[in-house]
Amino acid sequence: MSRGASPGALLAWWDGDRLAFGVLAGEEKGRLRLVLEDGREHRIQPGRIAAVVEASGAPPGATLEGRRAAGMRVQAAVSRVERRAASVDVYALWEIATGSEGEAPEEATLADLALGEASGEARAALAVALLRDGVRFVRRGEGWEPRRREAVEEILEQRRRAAERRAEKEAALASLAAASRSDGRFEPTGSQAERRYLDALEQLAVRNEDAPEGARAAALEALEACGLRYDRPREGAFRLLRRLGRFDSDDENLEVLRYGLRTAFPEEVAAAAREAARRGFDRSGRVDLTALDVLTVDGPRTREIDDGLSIEPRPGGALRLGVHIADPAAFSAPGDAADREALSRSVSHYLPDRRLPMFPPAISEEAASLLPGEERPALSVLAEVSASGRVESFEIVRSIVRSRARLDYDGVDRTLRSGDGPYARQLERLAELSERLERQRVAAGAVVLRVPEVEIHVDRGEIRLERRDPASPAQRLVSEAMVLAGALAARFSIERGIPVIYRRQDPPDRPLPLPAPADDEIVAARRLRRALRRGEVSLAPGPHHALGLPAYAQATSPLRRYQDLATHRQISAVLAGREPVYDAASLQRIAATTERAESDGRKAERASERYWMLRWYESRQGARVHAVVADTTPRPVVVLEDTLLEEVVPALADAEPGDRVQLEVVRVVPRADLLVLRPV
């Protein structure tokens, strides 16, 4: 037995960095069997013995009563050791130890100095006292070595700072908790701990699952301290920050913060735009097309009118289409203040509750916008299209145009149905031309998707849904004209060797699914979209499968997309007899910057739309809604007919894609992204 101990002896032993106690029951395969304070048996190596506290005593035995009796002995010994440890003056002992010359005192000597004896119990009490102090002595082998005075002072300073941090943390959590329970405004103290919790809460509220783990843990700690109830942590973080006055509205658009969308123009940028608008545009080298009857067709809320259409009959049933594209390059040069801001934004964002334009309004909504009755600089694509829909010839010119009228989609559809109105004949020709162009594209392999779209708009807290039908003649005549302009811009650039950013899409890996006659249009379109490959941008031209085009470059929205502006500038420069504005390397940088910005913008728009649609459903809890089952693998997913939102409804496990179902809106928590639906 170790140190001469026999069964029944009560031992102190090292359990890692702490001292534990047990009654020796015996030895087995070179290991000591101990009965611990709670009556459990534990095995240790003999070398872990620190001291023999009681040399003799009744062996524990194998019975439950024997182990309990041993446990009670251990408890009594621990109490004695704790009491004696409390009487040890560690500071005085350390002063003596550090003041002595030669080697550090042995453990027995220290025990004798501290407690007047060097018994096993005294040595155990000494060890407990030194461990509890944790500063002045460090265990070396079987003894204790006093630390140097500088090391002790450093440890004490670290402890002081740690205590301050703990106190600051506790004060911050208490302050947050008090503010969360009161109606009074939160008055921040500015402490480091408080800032950490507030920043962590904001990261969780804004970034959700993308919040760093450290921030997420700190935010959850703050939420727990405040005792808030919530469905999901992001919701809880937002609600707490709202109570603290960190956000100004219950409907704060967190996606704007998450994706760093720029909400205001710096004054120097706005001033530069106003000055450029005041100067006007240079008319030299531009073709005067103000005699053409140019019409613009947009949604009623559109403020950046960046394209207009004209149509003229030609012999043999041909038509001459004009796509006239607003020219913001006439008011902003590469690298100027407005251009730098536009590139940093890369695209206009249209959120339900706000617009974030790419160019300042002085340019995008006024000087460059194709407002009716105003002469505006433009890039005009003029195409001769045969009765079969074939483009016989085309030209692109820098121009001056004057819009005759601003029309909206619903008004154009009404005119086409009735045949009445001052522009009825022009609109009929445009609708006829769009059918020709679409037939040509479909024959070339284009994929035509016509699924209803739902737009949600928020005006002074009022939520309104607007359903758009892409199959309407007005939508089609505009989209076909824009697609043709992009195809001809790409063709023009290829023929002249102008570097531009192309949009490409490879064909799918397998044949596209053909919709069955009974298929719901939403289900069929969803299946078709999933089968198509993702589009990409490239400086090398290539086919765009879904559009059915050999090459395509976006050029029709330079007020709203920087890539379109870049293409516009490249073509305009060549038309003016100059070298292209951008070389390939510059376009690569523009493509990389704008693709990321456009991707973030799409995510922000989708998330914002979803939030407001959930807000719309929030006032309809208990109501019944109609939906179509879109998918059942791996989970049942429905598309709600009112909003076209996709939702998982586990109770529809036995449904089939295309089934129409009626659901009850059971619970809605927009901030938690929670919509609970139940079949009825």
Side-chain angles (χ1 to χ4, degrees):
M1 293 294 173
S2 178
R3 300 196 181 185
S6 58
L10 197 150
L11 308 177
W13 56 281
W14 289 110
D15 183 10
D17 290 330
R18 74 181 188 91
L19 204 62
F21 298 84
V23 175
L24 180 60
E27 185 174 2
E28 186 176 305
K29 296 181 179 178
R31 295 167 68 89
L32 304 182
R33 292 170 39 239
L34 300 178
V35 175
L36 307 184
E37 187 175 357
D38 58 5
R40 290 183 301 110
E41 189 173 287
H42 187 71
R43 287 170 169 76
I44 66 169
Q45 295 289 346
R48 292 167 67 183
I49 296 298
V52 179
V53 178
E54 296 176 2
S56 62
T63 65
L64 179 61
E65 290 76 8
R67 290 197 301 274
R68 283 178 176 171
M72 292 177 67
R73 278 185 64 201
V74 174
Q75 292 173 23
V78 168
S79 296
R80 291 197 312 274
V81 168
E82 291 282 352
R83 284 195 302 271
R84 300 193 71 179
S87 69
V88 174
D89 188 339
V90 177
Y91 176 77
L93 194 64
W94 174 71
E95 287 282 4
I96 294 171
T98 54
S100 62
E101 296 182 358
E103 295 184 359
E106 295 182 353
E107 182 182 63
T109 303
L110 290 173
D112 190 48
L113 286 170
L115 296 164
E117 61 173 287
S119 66
E121 183 176 297
R123 292 200 305 274
L126 172 73
V128 169
L130 299 186
L131 288 172
R132 188 174 294 154
D133 174 75
V135 176
R136 293 169 176 84
F137 288 86
V138 60
R139 187 159 67 97
R140 298 290 188 209
E142 295 188 357
W144 295 89
E145 179 181 305
R147 283 194 173 98
R148 296 192 313 276
R149 192 170 299 276
E150 306 82 57
V152 169
E153 290 174 353
E154 183 179 348
I155 292 173
L156 290 174
E157 177 61 19
Q158 289 173 353
R159 286 190 171 187
R160 185 190 64 77
R161 289 197 297 265
E164 285 182 352
R165 287 195 296 270
R166 283 194 301 272
E168 187 180 88
K169 170 183 169 181
E170 291 168 3
L173 290 173
S175 176
L176 293 176
S180 72
R181 292 190 292 268
S182 69
D183 295 329
R185 186 167 182 81
F186 173 62
E187 295 294 340
T189 64
S191 74
Q192 185 175 348
E194 183 183 78
R195 289 196 303 272
R196 175 173 174 262
Y197 283 120
L198 290 173
D199 291 345
L201 286 164
E202 187 165 325
Q203 287 204 60
L204 179 57
V206 172
R207 299 178 62 185
N208 197 16
E209 297 298 331
D210 292 334
E213 278 304 312
R216 187 177 183 84
L220 292 175
E221 186 180 10
L223 289 174
E224 183 178 1
C226 293
L228 285 184
R229 298 179 63 184
Y230 50 86
D231 287 279
R232 288 174 180 164
R234 184 189 195 188
E235 169 214 358
F238 174 81
R239 286 175 50 207
L240 177 55
L241 290 172
R242 178 74 177 105
R243 288 190 188 183
L244 301 177
R246 194 84 160 187
F247 294 119
D248 296 328
S249 167
D250 290 341
D251 293 315
E252 187 85 24
N253 195 322
L254 299 180
E255 307 309 322
V256 171
L257 298 174
R258 179 174 188 175
Y259 293 104
L261 305 186
R262 299 165 75 89
T263 57
F265 288 98
E267 177 52 33
E268 62 271 20
V269 173
R274 291 193 296 268
E275 175 59 22
R278 186 194 63 76
R279 287 196 305 266
F281 64 93
D282 184 359
R283 294 170 175 262
S284 60
R286 294 186 179 273
V287 179
D288 188 342
L289 298 180
T290 55
L292 292 177
D293 288 335
V294 176
L295 306 175
T296 65
V297 184
D298 291 284
R301 290 182 174 78
T302 300
R303 298 181 193 173
E304 304 153 308
I305 305 174
D306 51 15
D307 53 72
L309 305 175
S310 63
I311 191 81
E312 303 166 90
R314 285 289 189 264
L319 294 168
R320 184 179 190 240
L321 171 68
V323 180
H324 310 280
I325 306 163
D327 188 5
F331 304 95
S332 174
D336 69 15
D339 178 71
R340 291 195 303 272
E341 182 71 15
L343 178 57
S344 70
R345 294 177 178 233
S346 296
V347 66
S348 293
H349 303 291
Y350 300 95
L351 309 174
D353 56 337
R354 68 181 70 185
R355 293 172 55 257
L356 303 175
M358 185 177 79
F359 272 114
I363 293 176
S364 61
E365 299 176 19
E366 299 171 20
S369 184
L370 303 186
L371 299 172
E374 302 291 339
E375 291 189 357
R376 291 291 186 259
L379 188 69
S380 294
V381 181
L382 306 169
E384 300 279 344
V385 184
S386 70
S388 66
R390 178 184 174 83
V391 176
E392 299 295 344
S393 63
F394 77 96
E395 63 176 330
I396 301 178
V397 298
R398 298 170 66 241
S399 64
I400 302 171
V401 299
R402 181 192 293 116
S403 168
R404 293 291 187 270
R406 175 179 177 172
L407 309 177
D408 61 37
Y409 293 107
D410 290 343
V412 170
D413 284 333
R414 286 194 297 271
T415 296
L416 290 173
R417 285 194 299 269
S418 67
D420 297 329
Y423 305 106
R425 186 63 189 125
Q426 290 161 266
L427 294 173
E428 287 169 356
R429 288 188 178 119
L430 285 168
E432 177 187 346
L433 177 64
S434 69
E435 292 177 3
R436 297 181 190 178
L437 294 173
E438 186 181 276
R439 283 197 300 269
Q440 280 284 324
R441 290 196 306 110
V442 170
V447 178
V448 178
L449 284 170
R450 291 203 180 98
V451 181
E453 298 175 3
V454 174
E455 292 183 351
I456 186 162
H457 303 284
V458 182
D459 185 11
R460 298 176 184 175
E462 182 184 355
I463 305 171
R464 294 203 310 165
L465 300 181
E466 291 184 10
R467 201 174 189 88
R468 290 179 56 186
D469 181 8
S472 80
Q475 294 277 352
R476 183 163 58 179
L477 71 84
V478 171
S479 64
E480 285 298 328
M482 297 306 113
V483 169
L484 178 62
L488 296 179
R491 181 172 160 186
F492 182 91
S493 301
I494 293 168
E495 290 174 351
R496 288 159 180 78
I498 305 171
V500 297
I501 300 171
Y502 295 95
R503 291 271 170 177
R504 310 184 343 172
Q505 185 189 53
D506 290 335
D509 296 328
R510 57 180 66 92
L512 293 175
L514 297 175
D519 272 357
D520 182 273
E521 61 181 2
I522 294 175
V523 176
R526 190 172 187 270
R527 189 184 303 127
L528 194 56
R529 280 200 192 101
R530 289 188 166 189
L532 291 171
R533 300 184 69 171
R534 186 184 296 273
E536 62 180 10
V537 298
S538 175
L539 299 191
H544 194 294
H545 177 79
L547 293 178
L549 296 173
Y552 178 68
Q554 287 182 331
T556 59
S557 295
L559 294 177
R560 296 182 282 181
R561 284 194 302 256
Y562 199 91
Q563 286 188 14
D564 295 44
L565 174 64
T567 299
H568 197 111
R569 281 176 170 157
Q570 295 291 82
I571 293 173
S572 292
V574 171
L575 290 174
R578 302 190 303 270
E579 290 295 313
V581 175
Y582 306 107
D583 58 17
S586 299
L587 286 179
Q588 287 282 17
R589 289 192 293 271
I590 289 172
T593 299
T594 55
E595 278 297 286
R596 174 62 183 270
E598 289 191 28
S599 174
D600 286 349
R602 286 191 294 271
K603 292 174 185 175
E605 289 168 8
R606 285 196 296 267
S608 297
E609 288 166 0
R610 179 172 175 82
Y611 170 80
W612 282 105
M613 286 179 176
L614 292 184
R615 287 276 282 109
W616 186 81
Y617 280 116
E618 193 175 25
S619 63
R620 289 160 177 78
Q621 294 191 66
R624 296 186 176 186
V625 295
H626 296 279
V628 59
V629 177
D631 207 343
T632 55
T633 305
R635 299 176 297 173
V637 176
V638 303
V639 177
L640 300 171
E641 292 186 355
D642 288 327
T643 58
L644 302 184
L645 277 185
E646 292 190 2
E647 291 296 324
V648 175
V649 184
L652 293 174
D654 296 330
E656 294 293 332
D659 287 354
R660 294 194 170 273
V661 295
Q662 193 176 50
L663 306 167
E664 180 186 353
V665 180
V666 178
R667 189 161 179 264
V668 189
V669 185
R671 277 295 170 205
D673 193 24
L674 185 65
L675 174 59
V676 181
L677 302 166
R678 178 173 60 201
V680 294

